[in-house]
Amino acid sequence: MQGNATRHPEKAVLSTLCLKKPAAEVTNTLREEYESIAASDLESEISDSDGPEESQKTVLTDFEFSSEESSDEESEDRFSRWSKGDSYWTKYPPETSETVASSQSCPGPAPGSSVKTPKDAWELFMSEDIIDEILQCTNLGGQRAGLAKGKVWQKITKEELKAFIGLSLLIGVERSCDVPIRELFMDPLQNPVYRATMSVRRYQDLHRFLQFDNKKTRMAREASDHMAAFRNVWDLFMINCRKRFIPQDCVTVGEQFVPFQGRCKFVQHLPSCPTKSGIKIFWMCDAEVPYAIDGVIHAGRQPGEETEENHAENAVLRLSNGLQQKGLNITMDSYFTSVPLAEKLFDNSLTMVGTLHHKNPHVPPIMKPSKLRAPHTSEFGFCGKVFMASYVPKLKKAVILLSTMHTSKALNETSAKNKPEVIRYYNRTKGGVSNVKQMAEKYTCKRQTKRWPMLLWYNMLDIAIVNSHSIFIAQHPSFMGGGHNTQRLFIKELVKELVLPQIHRRREESHGLSMNILEAMDRYTSTSVYQPAQLLNWVYLSLQDTHQTSAFDAFRPEPNSSHPDLNYSKTPANDLSSSLNSNYLNNFFQLQRNEALNNGLYKSVSPYGSLNNIVDGLNSLTDHFSDLSLSSEPRKPSKRPPPNYLCHLCFNKGHYIKDCPQARPKGEGLTPYQGKKRCFGEYKCPKCKRKWMSGNSWANMGQECIKCHINVYPHKQRPLEKPDGLDVSDQSKEHPQHLCEKCKVLGYYCRRVQ
């Protein structure tokens, strides 16, 4: 109070008079003393006056008193418009006010940002310079780690790094961020694209060694910047965000709190947050379109610098400096809003609309909440270039807004609540940052990590998805029907474009891939690879099942079909049905038909040509195999085995060993089994008809009959792991090595081979 009285002695004199004398006696004194104070504060409002006499006349007119009671009310109103921040908020709007010219730029994607595919939109933000920076730093870090452990680091390529990013985005769109990595790659119920793109160990290595700067020079850069480990990549990303979009007439400034539990020099601690600690990022976003224009990471006090007092105000100024357009309005909340900030932005040709807390020193008492203020009433104040409005939504509550854009006391008279126009404008433009955060968190790819650069990397990927989706939808509004789930479909299309080059490269360069990986590749790439041996087996089996009717006619199109690949006019339907009347071929054609229907195309279903070419080739092969019959009598239909019968050659159900596709012609092998492992065999002497079984049976090796002393080859062989009840050999019984042909050839016990 003493300091305030020293700066404004006139205000102290008025307060003393009001306390010591009755209101009727100090009326004239108040008029004379207060006119001198108000006249100096209202000079900006009457700047167009011609002289001091007119100015004095205007002031006297404003402060006329009709009675003693009205003079008391006027005096109290004038005192209530003084704030602790040494500013007086008059209720009379200025006759002339300085305004900021609005922006004339066309909002939307910037020139040179035309895209055709989701990948094109994504590469506008994750440009090649960012990919090259991460690629170089990650390879350097991997090589250093490999040398330390005595291993060789396999360098990653651009296709592999983009595929890694694509898998990270896929984890987010499937909302599997809390699922372990090994489960995503190894569980057969998960998406097959994970194991089709790369191995689980390779993905874990990339996730572990992913770096964004050169670790050798990091210590020198950290001497002046706490965020040196991620600064270069972040700056490149922000440059792309600023130049790819032209905002509309209003932008929004807000903050994002990214939870983090690891070690970081600029981590923020918020007791009200569920995670209690995290990294704070200030964002500037468009008020209408979900697009992040610029962002500043709150890195705290940098080394060698003093403590930053008004970091929120400085963050808004740094964000506004990146705007290439002038005449825009910035909407913000009470965390950023202040009168000095409004004046600085106005000097930079930018207006501001924001809320104020009632404890702000620039808020006068008349604007604060009070039980004497009726609901749905408003108070207005003007101080130079700044306009303040206070609205009472309910008793003992007040919403206070500060604006350099509005200069009138306009109310919304169409509603019973009579809200000021500035409040309606604020409610319409305040959700820019909230929309971006909501879309980023919907399909976030953030995984639990103790490395803060990885956390910022995940958050940057989420923001890049939001920005690229907005750019793409602005140019292709009818994408996927224009529904509400376009963001999810956009991410899926982007993932497919990122991982397909890596899948094709892995298939070409890698040899000896397991069947489940090949099946995953076929399933994701929508291509079916049938080996020639498999096709010949189907043809061979078709010759064995001539007794069954064909179901292929159900899938045959009409002769006048419009599709060229399904026109079978070359081969009559009856001939094709008579020659290809096998369940195996029917299943094959049905599979091809289903894949073609799913893909919407009948071409490129198989790498061996179109479906018509496959049918013609199989028909020709069937005719040739039919001509090779040695008997003039018609072939008898093969007998079907019992349901639980296992073939003794391939150990599969559905056929006998003589009908097995893996069966070799007679005379080529001496035993049914032609592998290298030991198996269980059944023997029968052709001379004495003696039968025996042995667990030491080998391919093309026999055993002598103990009575006839002739070599007998097994007529049945099955694996040791699949006994059928009689395949249990007596382990206590000694193996007769003098009767075993395998033991005689080796010169020792044949079981030692395994």
Side-chain angles (χ1 to χ4, degrees), residues 430-678:
K430 68 179 180 180
V433 178
S434 300
N435 294 338
V436 171
K437 291 193 298 183
Q438 182 179 2
M439 294 185 65
E441 292 295 332
K442 187 176 182 180
Y443 300 111
T444 179
C445 59
K446 295 186 184 71
R447 296 188 64 86
Q448 187 176 3
T449 178
K450 295 295 184 181
R451 298 169 54 199
W452 64 264
M454 283 298 299
L455 180 70
L456 294 179
W457 165 251
Y458 285 139
N459 192 75
M460 194 173 75
L461 288 181
D462 295 338
I463 299 298
I465 286 295
V466 176
N467 287 0
S468 57
H469 174 259
S470 299
I471 292 291
F472 184 80
I473 293 299
Q475 303 180 29
H476 305 277
S478 60
F479 173 71
M480 295 297 180
H484 297 287
N485 59 342
T486 55
Q487 183 184 4
R488 179 174 58 86
L489 300 177
F490 173 84
I491 299 176
K492 286 189 174 182
E493 288 295 324
L494 174 60
V495 170
K496 188 173 183 179
E497 294 180 11
L498 291 177
V499 303
L500 276 180
Q502 168 63 15
I503 293 177
H504 293 317
R505 188 183 68 86
R506 186 187 184 194
R507 187 161 201 164
E508 294 175 358
E509 297 180 359
S510 301
H511 302 284
L513 296 175
S514 60
M515 287 301 299
N516 60 345
I517 296 179
L518 293 176
E519 291 175 358
M521 291 180 176
D522 296 340
R523 179 180 174 185
Y524 190 72
T525 57
S526 300
T527 58
S528 301
V529 178
Y530 300 100
Q531 301 297 332
Q534 188 176 4
L535 296 176
L536 291 177
N537 285 335
W538 278 329
V539 174
Y540 173 77
L541 293 174
S542 67
L543 299 177
Q544 311 296 325
D545 299 332
T546 56
H547 67 286
Q548 294 188 359
T549 59
S550 175
F552 181 64
D553 292 335
F555 300 97
R556 189 188 315 281
E558 297 297 332
N560 55 355
S561 175
S562 60
H563 202 287
D565 280 350
L566 293 180
N567 192 353
Y568 299 98
S569 58
K570 297 181 181 180
T571 305
N574 296 333
D575 297 341
L576 186 61
S577 176
S578 61
S579 59
L580 299 179
N581 50 4
S582 169
N583 282 340
Y584 302 97
L585 288 179
N586 293 336
N587 295 335
F588 164 70
F589 289 123
Q590 185 175 0
L591 178 61
Q592 293 284 353
R593 172 77 174 186
N594 293 337
E595 290 183 357
L597 291 176
N598 292 334
N599 297 333
L601 298 173
Y602 286 90
K603 289 186 176 182
S604 302
V605 177
S606 172
Y608 300 104
S610 63
L611 185 60
N612 190 27
N613 296 334
I614 294 178
V615 172
D616 294 340
L618 292 179
N619 187 26
S620 177
L621 287 174
T622 306
D623 294 339
H624 283 81
F625 278 110
S626 300
D627 296 339
L628 296 178
S629 177
L630 300 178
S631 175
S632 59
E633 298 180 358
R635 183 185 300 272
K636 296 182 180 180
S638 59
K639 184 179 179 181
R640 286 292 177 183
N644 296 329
Y645 179 81
L646 294 178
C647 174
H648 300 306
L649 181 58
C650 64
F651 308 110
N652 292 325
K653 298 179 181 180
H655 59 271
Y656 288 105
I657 188 173
K658 63 179 181 179
D659 301 329
C660 182
Q662 300 181 10
R664 298 190 180 186
K666 291 185 178 181
E668 183 176 345
L670 301 177
T671 57
Y673 176 67
Q674 295 296 319
K676 298 181 180 180
K677 294 184 178 181
R678 182 172 60 92

Side-chain angles (χ1 to χ4, degrees), residues 696 728-736 749 751:
N696 296 309
V728 181
S729 59
D730 189 3
Q731 300 295 334
S732 61
K733 188 176 181 180
E734 185 179 359
H735 174 59
Y749 189 18
R751 191 173 292 187

Side-chain angles (χ1 to χ4, degrees), residues 194-212:
Y194 295 109
R195 54 182 178 273
T197 305
M198 62 181 64
S199 63
V200 59
R201 181 174 297 180
R202 184 61 172 172
Y203 184 88
Q204 290 176 340
D205 289 342
L206 294 181
H207 185 271
R208 184 182 301 113
F209 296 107
L210 194 67
Q211 295 183 8
F212 311 96

Side-chain angles (χ1 to χ4, degrees), residues 164-185:
F164 171 79
I165 297 174
L167 294 183
S168 301
L169 298 178
L170 182 61
I171 292 175
V173 77
E174 292 182 347
R175 298 179 179 178
S176 303
C177 295
D178 56 344
V179 180
I181 295 296
R182 296 193 65 85
E183 182 178 346
L184 291 174
F185 280 80

